[in-house]
Amino acid sequence: MNQLSVMGMMKTIVPITRFNKGEANKIFDEVETSGTKIVMKNNKPACVLLSPAQYESLMEMLSDFLLYSEAEKRTASNKDEENISHEAMMKELGISQESLDEVDVEIE
């Protein structure tokens, strides 16, 4: 570990006593401006503080990873002989390209 990352880690540590001294608002402002904070209680990490945007980003990454993992499992268990062409599937379901062209779809 290089010195820069150690110094960066040290800046994220917040002793619980700062909360006891009424510095919660200041700590929350620090989270917004400089990022994640690790709250220490009895010299052990008690919790991690992060902004709502950081939390949302992490949850989105986790969701994407779980979807990717599921897709990988399904791809691995796919049997080529069970696959049919796009044209055969459309014919089997009675769907025409014209009917699909009429559908308005929004993709996120």
Side-chain angles (χ1 to χ4, degrees):
M1 207 176 228
N2 65 33
Q3 187 175 4
L4 189 61
S5 64
V6 171
M7 291 304 293
M9 180 61 81
M10 293 299 292
K11 290 179 182 178
T12 67
I13 295 174
V14 176
I16 193 84
T17 54
R18 285 189 60 197
F19 281 96
N20 297 338
K21 292 177 183 177
E23 294 184 30
N25 283 333
K26 186 175 179 183
I27 295 167
F28 295 151
D29 289 342
E30 290 172 15
V31 169
E32 283 297 320
T33 58
S34 61
T36 306
K37 298 291 182 188
I38 301 168
V39 180
M40 303 294 283
K41 182 178 180 181
N42 299 324
N43 294 322
K44 294 180 184 176
C47 73
V48 177
L49 302 174
L50 52 136
S51 71
Q54 287 175 306
Y55 177 79
E56 184 178 333
S57 177
L58 285 171
M59 292 299 102
E60 198 169 303
M61 280 192 286
L62 176 60
S63 176
D64 289 349
F65 173 77
L66 293 173
L67 288 171
Y68 176 77
S69 177
E70 181 63 27
E72 285 286 310
K73 281 193 266 183
R74 290 180 183 190
T75 301
S77 67
N78 182 41
K79 295 180 177 84
D80 284 339
E81 64 273 2
E82 295 176 359
N83 295 339
I84 62 172
S85 71
H86 175 75
E87 292 80 14
M89 186 254 333
M90 296 276 284
K91 186 176 180 180
E92 185 178 306
L93 296 174
I95 301 171
S96 69
Q97 185 60 46
E98 292 78 28
S99 64
L100 289 179
D101 292 339
E102 295 172 1
V103 177
D104 187 29
V105 177
E106 285 187 33
I107 299 175
E108 290 184 25

